[in-house]
Amino acid sequence: MRTAPTILHLDMDAFFASVEQASKPSLRGKAVVVGGLGPRGVVATASYEARVFGVHSAMPMGQARRLAPNAAYLVPRFELYRSISEQVMRLLRALSPLVEPLSLDEAFVDLEAGGAAWDADSARLAGAKLRADIRAVTGLTGSVGLAASKMLAKIASEEAKPDGMVLIEPGTERAMLGPKSVRILPGVGPATGDHLRRAGITTVEELAEAGEDELVRLLGKAHGHALYAMALARDERSVVAERETKSVSVEDTYDVDIHDRVRVGVEVARLADRCVRRLRGSGLSGRTIVLKVRRYDFSTLTRSETLRGPTDDPAVVREAAARLLDSVDTTGGVRLLGVGVSGLADYTQEDLFAQAAGEPAEEHAEEPAGEEPAEEYRPGPVGRRWPSGHDVRHAELGHGWVQGSGLGRVTVRFETPYSGPGRVRTFPVDDPQLTPADPLPLVEAPRRPGEGGAPAASAGAGVAEPPAGAEGVPPASAVPSAAGVAEQEQEQEQEPGSAGAATP
């Protein structure tokens, strides 16, 4: 076991919500909840201002609304989150070749392997520089933990939240862990915690005092041995760079069960195309196409078909997924669909045209292969949809974001990451001057010598607002609720300004 605190754990603070606050000046310092707002929606991330009211990740969105009725509720923008995550990961890889991403907003780094740190002082300097670089590049904050092991580094980053840094000096680990709840240790969830509490064990110190044999008796061999080692601050796991991707998959959950077989087929084709875009974005191809169907009664079926060679051809994946769908009975309704590709390779087979005609499914499984699916906004099947929080551009008023839509109208706040809080305007949903837009960078690029004037993107920030209460226009202080997608729910139409977040 190493003796220097050269394992770094980075956790971006309330990542999705922080991105939304950074890109929307009117929401800075306000309660923001990102997730799905349909009947089956859950919270993806809540800002620290929302957490004060008890809102947290994975909470049903209906419960979150009851706890924080005045929060801003936004649809996730996963492509933006991924792009910012890539910026952060590049900064980590500049420190060391050994970077182990755990999610978009979390990673371990072995500082010693990159020569970035070798003792406590150099580790502290590396951590401070990383936090400053992240703020300069992304405008966001991250919490850093430094220790001699992965377990302790992660615990340290939790202690550092939000926007802080904690270093656990070697030799102090057991004294630091002792009085803390057993729930601080990895693998101790509510059930295990309750089981230990009934045995009179509530702190890490009591866990160590119970002894290895007693923990094995209480929890079983594997879990007992592991928890005893953690209670003694032992963790021999090394940082593993870039875990090999086993599959690429996407899925959508629907607010209302789909009964129309044609609509199900259209959704499967759309998911197949999305899956291929992710596959190609990673420079991969795959041999096995997997279809996941969760039916009205919550039963989940998967069907898979293995091709003769790897492919990244969207037509091949679509047609294979369609053949797999033919083997599934969807009569009672479908609440979730997913398409994945596994058996990955970094090349494609030259001639796969014959595979579009393919053979019947070869494999049947009860659970899908693959990793956590991508979650993206899924527009409804009819008409123009304006997901709350997403970027738009007006031909005259410039860049803004959607506060809410419904009843044939869409409400937009015109502001950019570099402007002050902007003004609000409401338009017909089919206004030809209003179009979806790409997100703006959170940090404004520096102007070249000789360039002057205000950024063109911020032109909408000073738009005059119609009088509050004018027909079809909500007061500027009302941010309407929006329907969204953390589990890819369809947007629910509602009156703009009907149940939103108070903003300046």
Side-chain angles (χ1 to χ4, degrees):
M1 182 175 177
R2 71 180 69 201
T3 57
T6 54
I7 299 295
L8 180 148
H9 180 262
L10 171 70
D11 198 348
M12 299 296 290
D13 299 321
F15 184 48
F16 296 174
S18 294
V19 170
E20 299 300 342
Q21 289 176 318
S23 67
K24 300 172 173 64
S26 59
L27 296 185
R28 293 170 190 169
K30 308 295 182 182
V32 174
V33 180
V34 180
L37 309 184
R40 296 166 182 166
V42 296
V43 175
T45 307
S47 69
Y48 285 98
E49 295 85 356
R51 295 180 191 186
V52 171
F53 299 99
V55 180
H56 58 77
S57 299
M59 171 181 285
M61 191 58 74
Q63 183 180 355
R65 280 189 173 282
R66 290 190 293 273
L67 293 172
N70 293 320
Y73 290 85
L74 305 177
V75 174
R77 298 187 291 168
F78 288 101
E79 288 305 318
L80 175 60
Y81 307 152
R82 289 189 192 103
S83 68
I84 296 170
S85 173
E86 288 169 3
Q87 291 178 307
V88 174
M89 295 302 167
R90 281 196 292 270
L91 292 174
L92 298 183
R93 294 186 185 100
L95 289 174
S96 173
L98 290 184
V99 176
E100 183 179 338
L102 304 179
S103 62
L104 290 177
D105 60 343
E106 186 180 4
F108 286 109
V109 184
D110 188 330
L111 297 175
E112 188 175 11
W118 50 91
D119 59 12
D121 290 339
S122 58
R124 191 176 284 109
L125 288 173
K129 183 178 185 301
L130 173 64
R131 293 179 60 233
D133 289 345
I134 289 173
R135 185 184 290 274
V137 171
T138 69
L140 304 176
T141 63
S143 295
V144 166
L146 295 156
S149 70
K150 290 169 71 173
M151 178 192 77
L152 291 169
K154 183 172 175 62
I155 290 173
S157 70
E158 287 296 321
E159 295 285 306
K161 281 184 169 293
D163 190 21
M165 182 172 70
V166 169
L167 183 146
I168 299 176
E169 295 278 1
T172 67
E173 296 94 342
R174 289 195 63 180
M176 183 274 297
L177 285 177
K180 296 190 181 297
S181 166
V182 294
R183 291 290 305 277
I184 200 173
L185 298 178
V188 181
T192 301
D194 286 345
H195 191 56
L196 291 170
R197 181 181 53 78
R198 289 193 293 271
I201 300 172
T202 58
T203 67
V204 176
E205 185 177 15
E206 291 168 346
L207 199 65
E209 290 174 350
E212 190 169 16
D213 291 342
E214 176 65 9
L215 295 180
V216 168
R217 185 187 70 81
L218 287 171
L219 303 171
K221 188 173 182 180
H223 205 181
H225 286 313
L227 274 188
Y228 183 68
M230 287 190 283
L232 299 180
R234 298 174 185 165
D235 179 15
E236 301 296 335
R237 295 173 301 157
S238 58
V239 176
V240 180
E242 298 297 344
R243 296 178 183 274
E244 182 181 358
T245 302
K246 297 181 180 179
S247 69
V248 172
S249 60
V250 296
E251 64 182 44
D252 281 343
T253 301
Y254 304 93
D255 283 348
V256 179
D257 293 344
I258 302 175
H259 294 82
D260 183 356
R261 182 76 178 190
V262 174
R263 168 82 188 287
V264 172
V266 169
E267 291 293 312
V268 167
R270 182 184 57 77
L271 288 165
D273 287 343
R274 250 175 61 193
C275 184
V276 169
R277 286 198 297 272
R278 289 195 66 206
L279 197 68
R280 288 181 168 180
S282 301
L284 297 170
S285 60
R287 296 184 67 236
T288 300
I289 315 303
V290 181
L291 174 72
K292 176 181 177 181
V293 180
R294 181 167 296 152
R295 298 186 290 192
Y296 68 99
D297 58 357
F298 287 86
S299 62
T300 302
L301 303 175
T302 64
R303 299 290 183 263
S304 63
E305 174 179 328
T306 299
L307 308 175
R308 291 195 294 271
T311 183
D312 65 354
D313 187 327
V316 172
V317 176
R318 276 196 307 269
E319 295 186 29
R323 288 194 298 273
L324 295 170
L325 180 61
D326 288 340
S327 67
V328 178
D329 179 12
T330 62
T331 305
V334 170
R335 61 181 282 121
L336 177 147
L337 291 168
V339 173
V341 177
S342 60
L344 301 182
D346 57 3
Y347 67 94
T348 59
Q349 187 155 314
E350 292 297 328
D351 184 9
L352 291 172
F353 294 109
Q355 292 185 358
E359 298 88 8
E362 296 178 359
E363 305 173 18
H364 297 268
E366 290 306 315
E367 292 298 331
E371 300 179 340
E372 183 177 351
E375 298 178 333
E376 300 179 8
Y377 171 70
R378 174 180 45 74
V382 180
R384 297 180 74 183
R385 297 280 181 162
W386 301 101
S388 180
H390 283 223
D391 297 86
V392 294
R393 174 165 288 279
H394 190 274
E396 296 179 0
L397 305 179
H399 193 95
W401 57 277
V402 176
Q403 285 196 329
S405 66
L407 302 179
R409 292 174 291 169
V410 55
T411 301
V412 177
R413 184 181 285 272
F414 289 97
E415 61 186 10
T416 76
Y418 337 117
S419 70
R423 299 292 186 172
V424 175
R425 292 288 298 272
T426 295
F427 309 91
V429 293
D430 57 356
D431 190 320
Q433 292 189 299
L434 193 66
T435 57
D438 292 330
L440 297 175
L442 299 186
V443 176
E444 187 176 13
R447 295 191 185 93
R448 296 175 182 174
E451 290 181 343
S458 62
V463 174
E465 183 181 9
E471 184 175 356
V473 181
S477 63
V479 175
S481 300
V485 193
E487 292 181 312
Q488 298 82 41
E489 291 82 5
Q490 285 180 313
E491 186 183 44
Q492 290 185 314
E493 292 201 345
Q494 56 191 331
E495 178 71 20
S498 59
T503 60

